[in-house]
Amino acid sequence: MAFLADTLQRIKPSATIAVTDKARALKLAGRDVIGLGAGEPDFDTPDNIKEAAIRAIREGRASKYTNVDGLAELKAAVVGKFKRENGLDYKPSQISVGTGGKQVLYNAFVATLNPGDEVIIPAPFWVSYPDMVMLAGGEPVPVVATAESGFKLKPEQLERAITPRTKWLLLNSPSNPTGAAYTRAELKALTDVVLRHPHVWVMTDDMYEHLVYDDFVFTTPAQVEPQLYDRTLTVNGVSKAYCMTGWRIGYAGGPAELIKAMQTIQSQSTSNPSSISQWASVEALNGPQDFIPVNNKVFKERRDLAVSMLNQARGIECPRPEGAFYVYPSCAGTIGKTAPTGKKLANDEDFVTELLEAEGVAVVQGTPFGVGPAFRISYATATSALEEACTRIQRFCGNLQ
Ligand SMILES: Cc1ncc(COP(=O)(O)O)c(C=O)c1O
């Protein structure tokens, strides 16, 4: 319809929604469906965080607008977090708080991209990245990092992808959808390339920082290469580690001039994120952190269960990721085979559709994440349900003709 903006012709609705809708319809029709699509912890927000929010409401601290990009108390808590956990020194004027990490990333793109500006996005990527870049008028430049390279971008690939129009390298470690995380040495190899190209900035999405297993040590680009501090935006949030996806608080640290531009954009769109959620986030960042390793122990057990069971499914190969709560198995070995409905599997979309149809297991096809044939499983779900789902996937693959 001509009334709608041209931009919309470039943007697609989230490809993950089709499977979710189908799963919901099957559930409504009385089918026993296990959903492994959700990108959020199944654990509840810790009580001390909930209580902090309730106290803020009762004490009248939540009734009014706050500073556009965050309460002073929350900015101070974020400054403390960056110092304590990442060894990064930021002043409050270098901190931006928004409605989820998603808004913070979006603000940063809107604040910096001119038409034709390029953003290098290692694939597989979080589905929202390319569309956010396009909404902001930029050009996403996906660069495929294969399973053989651990789903990690290699320095020579980065070097080749950089052009005079490159504005950002967007990194996400641990990654949605693969769970892959860069070691310090791997990150250093990439930051060395960026150092040689002074017009390129680094946007790092560290949302899954705390969800790493097997003694993996998380690091972030500005920490690994202090010379890039002045051209790095370090994005993080409370959604995943603190089980607060619904509260909608994300934040970033970066150069004051960029932070100010992001604030201007937020001031003319959504103003401040919810005051209640901000007070809850102050408690999340300043309060006890001991539930994080407790949750991680459960996530690690689930990761190991999923990797082991999926590798026993015929035609499936599942790498063991370092972090997040996703695995990203290849289903290349099932392509060309025939499902119980008689449908021949031509791609990963067919694989997930037929799996849902035959066994009631909802997973997300890999193609929208930029690398297929593969699928993403979120193991942020009850262990018993995960085990049952993996058994069904094994049966589905075993029954393919
Ligand atoms: C890689 C990545 N970045 C950012 C986000 C957005 O987080 P938030 O809920 O804080 O907006 C997500 C959520 O799924 C994610 O997977």
Side-chain angles (χ1 to χ4, degrees), residues 100-102 105 126 129 172 176 205 207-208 239-240 248:
K102 203 168 197 174
L105 292 160
W126 181 37
Y129 292 146
N172 172 220
N176 176 4
D205 178 348
M207 200 56 74
Y208 295 93
S239 293
K240 313 285 174 171
R248 312 304 305 128

Side-chain angles (χ1 to χ4, degrees), residues 78 82 88-96 104 168 201-202 222 228-235 251-260 262:
V78 172
F82 277 130
L88 292 173
D89 285 302
Y90 290 115
K91 298 190 186 71
S93 59
Q94 293 179 275
I95 302 297
S96 182
V104 174
W168 290 102
W201 285 44
V202 180
L228 286 180
Y229 174 86
D230 287 332
R231 45 185 170 116
T232 299
L233 185 70
T234 306
V235 182
Y251 56 83
E257 199 186 342
L258 171 60
I259 296 294
K260 188 149 188 297
M262 290 163 62

Side-chain angles (χ1 to χ4, degrees), residues 86-90 94 184 187-188 190-192 194-195 202 219-234 255:
N86 310 111
L88 292 173
D89 285 302
Y90 290 115
Q94 293 179 275
R184 175 179 277 269
L187 266 188
K188 182 74 172 67
L190 294 178
T191 55
D192 281 351
V194 179
L195 264 187
V202 180
T219 47
T220 190
Q223 174 188 30
V224 168
E225 182 44 83
Q227 292 184 74
L228 286 180
Y229 174 86
D230 287 332
R231 45 185 170 116
T232 299
L233 185 70
T234 306

Side-chain angles (χ1 to χ4, degrees), residues 112-134:
T112 55
L113 295 179
N114 290 315
D117 283 350
E118 295 170 358
V119 179
I120 296 174
I121 308 177
F125 43 69
W126 181 37
V127 284
S128 293
Y129 292 146
D131 294 72
M132 277 199 252
V133 168
M134 288 190 286

